[in-house]
Amino acid sequence: MSKSGHRDLQFAMPNQNVHTPPDSPEKATHGRQIPIVNKPDGSGGVPISRPRPENLKPESLAHRRKSSWALHEGNLTIPLSPTSRNTLEVPALQSPDADSSQFMHHLSTSPSTRERRLSRNSFGATLPIPWMPLKHKHSRLHSVSYPEAAEKALKAAEKAAACPTQEDILAAQVQSILADKVAAAKNMAFVFDIDGVLVHGDRLIPEGKRVLAMLNGDNQLGIKIPHIFLTNGSGKPELARTKQLSGILGSEISTEQFIQSHTPMRALAQYYNTVLVVGGEGYRCRDVAEEYGFRDIVVPNDILAWDPSIAPYRVFTEAERASARPRDFSKTNIDAILVFSDSRDYATDMQIIVDLLRSENGRLGTMAKDPESQRIPIYFSQGDLLCPTEHPIPRMSQGAFRIGLEAMYKALTGVELERVVYGKPELATYKYADEVMAAWMDALHGEERVPENVYMIGDNPASDIVGGNMYGWNTCLVRTGVFQGGENDEENPASFGVFANVWEAVTTACRKELGDDFVFKWDEKKVNPVLSNRQAASAVEV
């Protein structure tokens, strides 16, 4: 009996050779090893033979699957047909229970608030984020990459200031009367997750459109209540994504108030020259990296065009080859790996990433003697395990890819993979959100500051809520996305509450800050004496 409690396995070698099929993993003619199970008294056994089904009673088949002679307690057996003479039940050498915990970072699979406080990456490591002093209004952060959009916004603001509309004049009058409510409205802000809160992929969540209209001025004060968008979504340039969302939601969304998971990673362009960018559809993430200022960008297809044998199971088309940018990567050092978005080809992307992580200083075709000291850095834009889409059940996201890569690297090297994760709930993303919020406040109201009362609206407790809680924001959990639980999430409860949808969350927060009498609709008739008199005259005539 072995120390583990399992019976020892011996092998009998028959004299005759057994010819294996040409596609057999052994690919050789050899003597087949037949397991022999020792008897309980420790004496040798006999080779396992196939009992004939006609000699077995139905109840004995079930008994065999539970019998004490099974080699392992977790024996995984192939169902035996009562009428088949062509099956053989062989005891499994390994337990059917997967033992993946040895390959996992503990925090990857249990991101509770308590545990993430101890995370090196969450509130310990220094992650670069973009920052620049305020030089020109409306052109602080994202306008560095989108100067045309910033210039357009600036001209629109100047035109509005020079030629106010009738609604602007009336709103100013109301705001002068209700100064206390105005001050409170400027001292609150909303931070919205997008997928699962405002939209499902390209499909609108109706309450999202209503909320943005109200925050953009369709309210009692006619005032724009500050709000920004903080999403773990990725894979497109910010300008393209904001245009897409503006069309879906019916409200203009500026790049100045918008943060994707990889937006803060633009700061890394100052640190690395040649980078491998992974994820996204086609070459969109290359476009993103170019807009961020990265100088030498490589994508997996470039490597495949150079050497297709790197990914032996990938069918590399001529169209893909024509659009790739191959070079001799045996003479190229890649300085860092940036996973910008969800992988569209796990097998190829993981193979290339693992090759680079085990290489000598990012040189493909080499194997480092000490992979830890020579390992190049790898960054992930976010860590969500699941993401809400048009599908009724949330789909696996970039976090699932990362966990698989961590497990693979640990299995191959025996050491943990050091990696850096941006996106919610990491601190760097929230610091960056403060910068964006202060700049957007300046654009709206001429006050460069972060409002005191910030409300995070999200659907994912493990990213939206845990990050907001740790950063001191009021957190609201909605039931239109990942979270479908009870009264609140047990691991990461929302501090302000759980709501059916984004409208319920936002209006509850507004009533708290602006009073129960706050009206979520702009009514020009109530503040315009001309319209009021006309309405009164019409009532008299009737």
Side-chain angles (χ1 to χ4, degrees):
M1 183 77 71
S2 67
K3 293 181 180 180
S4 63
H6 299 308
R7 294 173 182 168
D8 295 325
L9 184 68
Q10 299 177 347
F11 291 93
M13 298 293 296
N15 295 327
Q16 72 273 21
N17 287 333
V18 180
H19 295 281
T20 57
D23 60 346
S24 168
E26 291 128 357
K27 294 198 171 113
T29 300
H30 57 78
R32 183 179 297 276
Q33 294 180 326
I34 301 176
I36 298 177
V37 180
N38 287 340
K39 296 178 181 178
D41 61 4
S43 60
V46 295
I48 299 175
S49 61
R50 170 167 53 87
R52 294 188 178 278
E54 60 266 25
N55 295 329
L56 291 174
K57 296 180 180 180
E59 60 270 17
S60 66
L61 293 174
H63 174 72
R64 280 189 56 203
R65 293 178 173 84
K66 301 179 182 179
S67 63
S68 59
W69 62 262
L71 190 62
H72 285 288
E73 294 146 357
N75 192 25
L76 184 65
T77 59
I78 301 172
L80 180 63
S81 169
T83 59
S84 173
R85 297 174 181 267
N86 300 314
T87 59
L88 172 66
E89 288 189 346
V90 179
L93 296 178
Q94 301 184 51
S95 168
D97 299 322
D99 185 15
S100 59
S101 61
Q102 60 181 312
F103 302 128
M104 295 296 176
H105 281 268
H106 178 61
L107 295 174
S108 297
T109 53
S110 183
S112 71
T113 300
R114 175 177 57 81
E115 290 165 331
R116 291 200 73 91
R117 286 186 185 278
L118 306 177
S119 166
R120 168 187 62 80
N121 187 47
S122 290
F123 283 74
T126 300
L127 278 67
I129 61 173
W131 182 86
M132 62 182 300
L134 182 62
K135 295 181 180 179
H136 302 286
K137 292 181 180 180
H138 315 293
S139 59
R140 179 186 175 102
L141 293 166
H142 297 152
S143 55
V144 175
S145 292
Y146 304 108
E148 294 180 2
E151 186 67 22
K152 181 180 177 182
L154 180 59
K155 289 182 178 179
E158 291 173 346
K159 181 179 179 181
C163 305
T165 64
Q166 177 176 293
E167 185 174 328
D168 292 333
I169 296 172
L170 293 173
Q173 293 174 352
V174 172
Q175 292 168 22
S176 65
I177 297 171
L178 301 175
D180 290 344
K181 284 191 184 297
V182 170
K186 291 181 179 180
N187 204 30
M188 69 182 301
F190 292 94
V191 181
F192 292 104
D193 180 34
I194 295 176
D195 287 302
V197 175
L198 302 172
V199 298
H200 286 138
D202 293 334
R203 181 164 53 85
L204 172 70
I205 296 176
E207 292 81 8
K209 185 174 183 178
R210 186 181 178 191
V211 157
L212 294 189
M214 188 275 290
L215 294 179
N216 282 321
D218 189 10
N219 56 60
Q220 179 183 3
L221 301 173
I223 193 172
K224 290 188 176 182
I225 299 175
H227 58 281
I228 65 172
F229 303 88
L230 183 61
T231 174
N232 273 355
S234 57
K236 290 182 179 179
E238 281 77 6
L239 188 59
R241 183 63 171 145
T242 53
K243 285 183 176 180
Q244 178 190 25
L245 287 170
S246 297
I248 296 172
L249 293 164
S251 293
E252 184 174 352
I253 298 174
S254 169
T255 57
E256 300 280 331
Q257 62 181 145
F258 185 75
I259 307 169
Q260 295 188 103
S261 63
H262 48 57
T263 304
M265 294 173 72
R266 69 174 69 234
L268 297 175
Q270 302 177 37
Y271 294 80
Y272 303 110
N273 184 52
T274 303
V275 295
L276 175 71
V277 174
V278 178
E281 296 179 11
Y283 294 96
R284 286 181 179 175
C285 284
R286 193 204 297 271
D287 297 338
V288 172
E290 288 176 348
E291 291 186 357
Y292 287 176
F294 287 95
R295 294 173 290 280
D296 187 14
I297 304 157
V298 178
V299 298
N301 275 3
D302 300 337
I303 297 171
L304 282 176
W306 165 66
D307 182 6
S309 69
I310 282 182
Y313 308 115
R314 167 73 181 274
V315 177
F316 195 51
T317 67
E318 288 302 320
E320 290 173 319
R321 186 182 302 278
S323 55
R325 301 176 187 175
R327 70 181 84 167
D328 187 353
F329 286 101
S330 67
K331 299 178 181 179
T332 302
N333 281 58
I334 292 176
D335 301 320
I337 303 166
L338 312 178
V339 183
F340 267 11
S341 189
D342 295 282
S343 170
R344 268 52 172 184
D345 183 355
Y346 271 43
T348 299
D349 291 346
M350 280 192 174
Q351 183 67 70
I352 292 174
I353 290 173
V354 169
D355 284 351
L356 285 171
L357 291 173
R358 300 173 71 196
S359 70
E360 291 185 358
N361 300 314
R363 181 74 64 91
L364 285 168
T366 65
M367 286 286 289
K369 295 179 180 179
D370 181 5
E372 286 190 88
S373 63
Q374 295 180 290
R375 181 174 55 209
I376 63 175
I378 180 169
Y379 297 85
F380 294 85
S381 71
Q382 54 101 342
D384 284 353
L385 182 64
L386 299 174
C387 176
T389 66
E390 291 92 341
H391 194 275
I393 302 173
R395 303 289 83 190
M396 290 189 296
S397 189
Q398 193 181 133
F401 178 81
R402 175 179 56 81
I403 289 173
L405 184 64
E406 290 172 358
M408 187 184 303
Y409 184 83
K410 178 67 179 290
L412 291 171
T413 66
V415 297
E416 300 287 2
L417 175 62
E418 291 186 1
R419 76 288 188 274
V420 176
V421 184
Y422 279 82
K424 297 174 290 186
E426 309 305 336
L427 177 63
T429 295
Y430 291 85
K431 289 287 189 183
Y432 186 69
D434 272 354
E435 291 291 312
V436 172
M437 201 179 305
W440 190 241
M441 269 290 293
D442 183 69
L444 290 182
H445 302 301
E447 302 175 18
E448 189 203 358
R449 63 181 178 87
V450 177
E452 293 181 7
N453 305 304
V454 179
Y455 291 83
M456 173 79 215
I457 316 292
D459 69 302
N460 192 335
S463 58
D464 304 320
I465 304 306
V466 64
N469 285 345
M470 294 173 72
Y471 204 57
W473 290 349
N474 302 294
T475 52
C476 308
L477 187 58
V478 296
R479 297 182 183 277
T480 49
V482 171
F483 179 73
Q484 298 293 328
E487 294 184 1
N488 209 328
D489 185 69
E490 295 182 0
E491 287 285 341
N492 304 297
S495 62
F496 193 65
V498 178
F499 303 88
N501 53 61
V502 66
W503 175 260
E504 295 297 328
V506 168
T507 53
T508 302
C510 285
R511 289 191 182 98
K512 178 179 181 295
E513 303 296 337
L514 307 176
D516 291 333
D517 60 341
F518 185 72
V519 180
F520 301 104
K521 186 72 178 176
W522 170 256
D523 189 352
E524 188 173 334
K525 294 179 181 179
K526 290 186 177 181
V527 295
N528 189 335
V530 175
L531 293 178
S532 298
N533 292 336
R534 286 179 180 174
Q535 187 175 17
S538 298
V540 171
E541 291 175 1
V542 173

